[in-house]
């Protein structure tokens, strides 16, 4: 490492930095992270953790995106039910009105018949 005169040689020395304070900030000069080839026993396997989490996240976002549609459908069902109740009320009022009219016509016919029989 040192040349004959006690001066550092031009070859680069391997100085290891920490994660918080790397030896250099240039990513090209940093050593690449080494991924472990085997998981320690008892740790979560990537298949279960990543895929399961992504699936649940995906389902949750899909459900959340469909919430306004479900809400709109529920509102439409309520409005249709209210409209049907209103139509039934209108039909009932009309039926009662026609019944009263028919009763009055029946009373007039009775009176006319009674008058015809009496004379």
């Amino acid at each position: 490492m040192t040349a004959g005169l006690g001066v550092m040689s031009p070859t680069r020395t391997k100085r290891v930095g920490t994660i918080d304070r790397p030896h250099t900030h240039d990513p090209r000069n940093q050593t690449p992270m080494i991924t472990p080839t085997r998981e320690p026993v008892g740790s979560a396997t990537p298949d279960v953790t990543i895929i399961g989490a992504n699936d649940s996240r995906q389902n949750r976002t899909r459900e959340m995106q469909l919430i306004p549609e479900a809400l709109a459908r529920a509102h439409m069902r309520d409005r249709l039910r209210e409209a049907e109740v209103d139509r039934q009320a209108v039909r009932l009022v009309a039926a009662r009105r026609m019944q009263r009219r028919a009763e009055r016509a029946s009373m007039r016919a009775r009176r006319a018949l009674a008058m015809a029989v009496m004379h």
Side-chain angles (χ1 to χ4, degrees), residues 8-110:
M8 295 292 286
S9 65
T11 61
R12 185 179 160 103
T13 60
K14 296 266 182 182
R15 219 159 97 195
V16 179
T18 62
I19 292 174
D20 294 331
R21 307 186 107 199
H23 177 66
T24 177
H25 292 290
D26 187 5
R28 289 174 295 184
N29 293 339
Q30 291 179 3
T31 56
M33 276 183 98
I34 300 169
T35 56
T37 56
R38 197 172 77 82
E39 291 261 335
V41 177
S43 71
T45 59
D47 293 345
V48 172
T49 304
I50 294 172
I51 292 174
N54 283 343
D55 285 348
S56 69
R57 252 186 243 112
Q58 184 65 34
N59 286 339
R60 193 167 39 235
T61 55
R62 191 175 302 127
E63 288 169 9
M64 290 177 80
Q65 287 172 350
L66 295 179
I67 285 174
E69 274 184 43
L71 195 60
R73 267 190 232 103
H75 280 297
M76 285 299 294
R77 248 183 277 121
D78 290 345
R79 298 298 164 269
L80 287 172
R81 198 174 305 120
E82 286 173 9
E84 184 61 33
V85 167
D86 288 345
R87 280 193 294 269
Q88 279 181 332
V90 167
R91 283 195 299 260
L92 182 62
V93 167
R96 285 186 179 158
R97 189 181 307 128
M98 291 188 331
Q99 182 182 6
R100 285 193 300 269
R101 188 179 298 163
E103 286 172 357
R104 284 194 302 269
S106 172
M107 291 299 283
R108 280 194 304 270
R110 266 187 176 169

